[in-house]
Amino acid sequence: MKRVLVITVLLVFYIILPKDGFGKNLVKIEISDLLITKSSQSSFIKLGFSKDDVLKNFGKPLEIKKSYFIKFDFRGEMIKYNGAEFYFLDGKLEAFEITNNQFVIKIRNKDIYAVVGNSLKTFGGLNNIVLQKNGENWDEVLSFILNPDNRVTSIICGPD
């Protein structure tokens, strides 16, 4: 009986595990290389920027408020633009959510970008992204919400 169980488990692993090896297509992104731009501007912001940096680069927001963010489980400040919300912890950009194509996620020095409304092909290796800080895996996740046609409906980065 044990032999049948072991063979069954091995067969299940063979079927569900990737055939190209563990981590072979893994995309590692340093958080300092993760850039957020407005599609109409060349300026950018990134995680760790201050509230003043965001305001300087993106202009006057729709709203600024202090609150507890259930989604990210921290108390901080939020700057809201049409199509994006930026969340600050201790005065630094800690998380964001992008919901329209006015904002673009780019990777510095790579031809990789993500825009709400596009397919994920422009952000290669999406299912194997590891966010890192100084070469170490970071405790935040970059997530893409997709519609049934595999088009991005929102991009979220925040605590895991």
Side-chain angles (χ1 to χ4, degrees):
M1 186 66 174
K2 285 184 180 182
R3 179 175 269 175
V4 171
L5 179 61
V6 170
I7 291 171
T8 303
V9 168
L10 290 174
L11 182 60
V12 167
F13 279 123
Y14 175 77
I15 292 169
I16 65 172
L17 292 177
K19 305 298 182 269
D20 58 353
F22 291 104
K24 185 174 181 181
N25 294 321
L26 200 63
V27 175
K28 296 179 181 180
I29 300 172
E30 277 289 328
I31 60 167
S32 61
D33 291 335
L34 187 67
L35 309 177
I36 307 152
T37 66
K38 274 188 135 177
S39 57
S40 61
Q41 297 176 336
S42 60
S43 59
F44 64 86
I45 63 169
K46 56 187 177 177
L47 294 166
F49 270 31
S50 70
K51 178 176 122 180
D52 289 338
D53 292 330
V54 173
L55 294 171
K56 183 177 107 181
N57 286 297
F58 291 163
K60 184 179 177 185
L62 297 174
E63 178 181 13
I64 298 176
K65 72 177 181 180
K66 292 184 180 186
S67 183
Y68 175 75
F69 306 110
I70 295 171
K71 182 187 309 181
F72 300 117
D73 192 28
F74 67 80
R75 179 170 294 285
E77 196 165 17
M78 185 262 302
I79 297 178
K80 181 177 184 172
Y81 290 91
N82 182 18
E85 293 180 357
F86 300 101
Y87 304 93
F88 296 83
L89 178 64
D90 299 327
K92 301 292 181 189
L93 181 58
E94 178 76 13
F96 62 83
E97 181 172 10
I98 296 172
T99 56
N100 74 24
N101 64 1
Q102 292 184 32
F103 292 87
V104 179
I105 302 298
K106 296 181 179 181
I107 306 302
R108 182 193 320 263
N109 299 325
K110 295 191 183 206
D111 192 24
I112 297 176
Y113 61 94
V115 180
V116 169
N118 283 5
S119 74
L120 294 177
K121 292 179 182 178
T122 58
F123 207 83
L126 191 61
N127 293 330
N128 294 311
I129 290 179
V130 173
L131 290 176
Q132 295 187 323
K133 187 172 185 177
N134 301 323
E136 298 292 323
N137 288 355
W138 197 42
D139 65 346
E140 297 209 12
V141 175
L142 181 63
S143 302
F144 298 82
I145 309 302
L146 305 175
N147 68 16
D149 295 326
N150 284 324
R151 300 262 177 210
V152 177
T153 59
S154 66
I155 303 167
I156 301 170
C157 185
D160 189 9

